[in-house]
Amino acid sequence: MLKDNRRHYNSVIDAWSEFMNDNIHFGYYKTEKTTLKESGDELINQMISLTTVKKNHRILDVGCGVGNPAFYLHNKFKCSVTGISTSQRGVEIANETSGKLGLAKSVRFKVADGTRNGFPDESFDIVWAMESSHLMRKDRLIRESYRVLKPGGTFLLCDVVFKCFTLKYIYTLPPHLFRLLALRRGYGNVWAMPKEYYFWHMNKAGFREITSIDVGENSMPTLRDWTDRINREKDTILKKYSQSHLKDFMRACEAMEHLFKKNIVTYVIMKTVKD
Ligand code: SAH
């Protein structure tokens, strides 16, 4: 599963980061006038608003894409950010940008897995997982994040989650059995879980003060903006990327829109603190 996802993100990262405007995540639309670029940055702001980031903080960005959120955090707070991703290509692009911006000392990227990252215990003030948790075993991501956080450190994440499983006992199932019950989307080993599943594992790992905000309504317009942008710039895009890249992306947007509209999924930001 991990190998597939690594291969998937290596092959689509150039195209997807361009289709999505470098922020490889949903946006947060404050008003109808919010633009795609603004919305991507605004989702980062919404996550930030749940915690306090200081200049001397060390942040671990798990699933860093091509580095946009890491650069945004550094620019805003001057803190040090280490981004990790299983996509070699994504890490390459991010490190290139960091070099060009003269930030190589404070914003670094390396290939590592969020579920076994290799960093020492208690080495970060904040672990940040922006729309990457659906690609990993969430129980392992949560345990690993707990391990590398300093006491009192904050774990922040945002992702698409399922709304349809409400039975409490179901979250206590081992992840592989749970996944058998979860709806499987047909591309890239992508899995969403209900937010309660995350909460259950956060509690079990020792986290406290678990909070979440549902931003589904503010995030859904992203799908319309992504597809509009692609339709508008189709000719230019097709000179650089294959028809299948485009088709896969559009199909993913369509599937997501269906799931949002049917109230099967929503978008949630979660925050929790290490005891
Ligand atoms: N957070 C970024 C990118 C989100 S896309 C942004 O908001 O712009 C999801 C990212 O997670 C991709 O970079 C993908 O390569 C990475 N990823 C997938 N599985 C991972 C894993 N097991 N460990 C670390 N990163 C992973």
Side-chain angles (χ1 to χ4, degrees):
M1 168 150 157
L2 180 61
K3 264 195 196 140
D4 278 2
N5 149 15
R6 203 177 300 156
R7 209 177 303 128
H8 174 73
Y9 268 87
N10 269 331
S11 72
V12 301
I13 199 93
D14 289 88
W16 284 34
S17 58
E18 188 155 340
F19 299 167
M20 297 160 109
N21 222 357
D22 282 347
N23 270 318
I24 314 179
H25 55 250
F26 275 77
Y28 181 98
Y29 288 72
K30 268 187 157 170
T31 70
E32 277 177 12
K33 288 197 184 122
T34 307
T35 64
L36 180 60
K37 170 77 183 116
E38 285 166 353
S39 76
D41 292 344
E42 188 49 38
L43 187 69
I44 304 178
N45 289 335
Q46 292 291 322
M47 280 175 81
I48 292 169
S49 72
L50 296 180
T51 189
T52 310
V53 186
K54 294 185 185 152
K55 194 176 165 189
N56 64 348
H57 273 172
R58 289 191 70 207
I59 300 183
L60 177 67
D61 178 3
V62 179
C64 59
V66 292
N68 231 51
F71 294 121
Y72 190 89
L73 286 166
H74 175 77
N75 286 340
K76 199 157 180 157
F77 301 104
K78 304 291 168 249
C79 52
S80 105
V81 188
T82 305
I84 59 167
S85 164
T86 42
S87 161
Q88 175 90 39
R89 179 70 191 133
V91 166
E92 246 167 54
I93 300 173
N95 273 328
E96 237 174 72
T97 313
S98 191
K100 277 187 200 146
L101 296 171
L103 296 175
K105 276 195 181 142
S106 32
V107 191
R108 283 169 262 203
F109 303 92
K110 66 181 262 192
V111 175
D113 189 327
T115 61
R116 245 176 66 187
N117 59 42
F119 290 103
D121 292 357
E122 305 190 356
S123 45
F124 293 95
D125 301 281
I126 295 174
V127 174
W128 176 280
M130 188 155 208
E131 217 171 296
S132 56
S133 71
H134 64 272
L135 296 160
M136 299 171 223
R137 279 272 303 255
K138 287 127 201 76
D139 55 333
R140 291 185 185 158
L141 164 70
I142 291 165
R143 273 203 305 275
E144 188 67 342
S145 301
Y146 186 89
R147 184 184 68 75
V148 297
L149 273 172
K150 295 176 189 169
T154 305
F155 181 34
L156 275 168
L157 74 87
C158 62
D159 222 321
V160 173
V161 297
F162 271 111
K163 286 180 95 174
C164 53
F165 293 108
T166 50
L167 293 174
K168 270 259 150 33
Y169 72 86
I170 220 164
Y171 312 120
T172 63
L173 286 174
H176 65 284
L177 284 182
F178 188 92
R179 265 182 284 140
L180 283 177
L181 296 172
L183 185 64
R184 182 174 179 167
R185 310 219 301 264
Y187 50 91
N189 275 325
V190 178
W191 295 99
M193 295 279 185
K195 64 175 192 248
E196 290 82 358
Y197 183 80
Y198 288 81
F199 297 167
W200 196 84
H201 282 289
M202 284 170 175
N203 256 318
K204 193 163 172 243
F207 280 110
R208 61 177 163 84
E209 290 178 34
I210 302 171
T211 49
S212 71
I213 22 175
D214 188 325
V215 296
E217 288 286 312
N218 304 78
S219 295
M220 212 177 30
T222 324
L223 292 162
R224 175 209 63 206
D225 268 7
W226 281 335
T227 46
D228 282 357
R229 184 162 178 272
I230 287 174
N231 283 327
R232 237 184 5 252
E233 294 170 23
K234 207 174 195 164
D235 294 343
T236 330
I237 286 173
L238 279 176
K239 279 184 195 141
K240 272 171 105 178
Y241 304 104
S242 70
Q243 185 85 40
S244 76
H245 273 135
L246 207 77
K247 245 196 200 154
D248 283 355
F249 185 78
M250 293 297 252
R251 225 182 267 148
C253 287
E254 240 173 67
M256 283 310 301
E257 188 147 16
H258 173 80
L259 294 172
F260 267 105
K261 283 196 172 144
K262 291 274 173 209
N263 225 7
I264 296 169
V265 298
T266 187
Y267 203 94
V268 167
I269 303 177
M270 300 178 213
K271 180 214 143 183
T272 187
V273 176
K274 177 168 175 171
D275 236 341

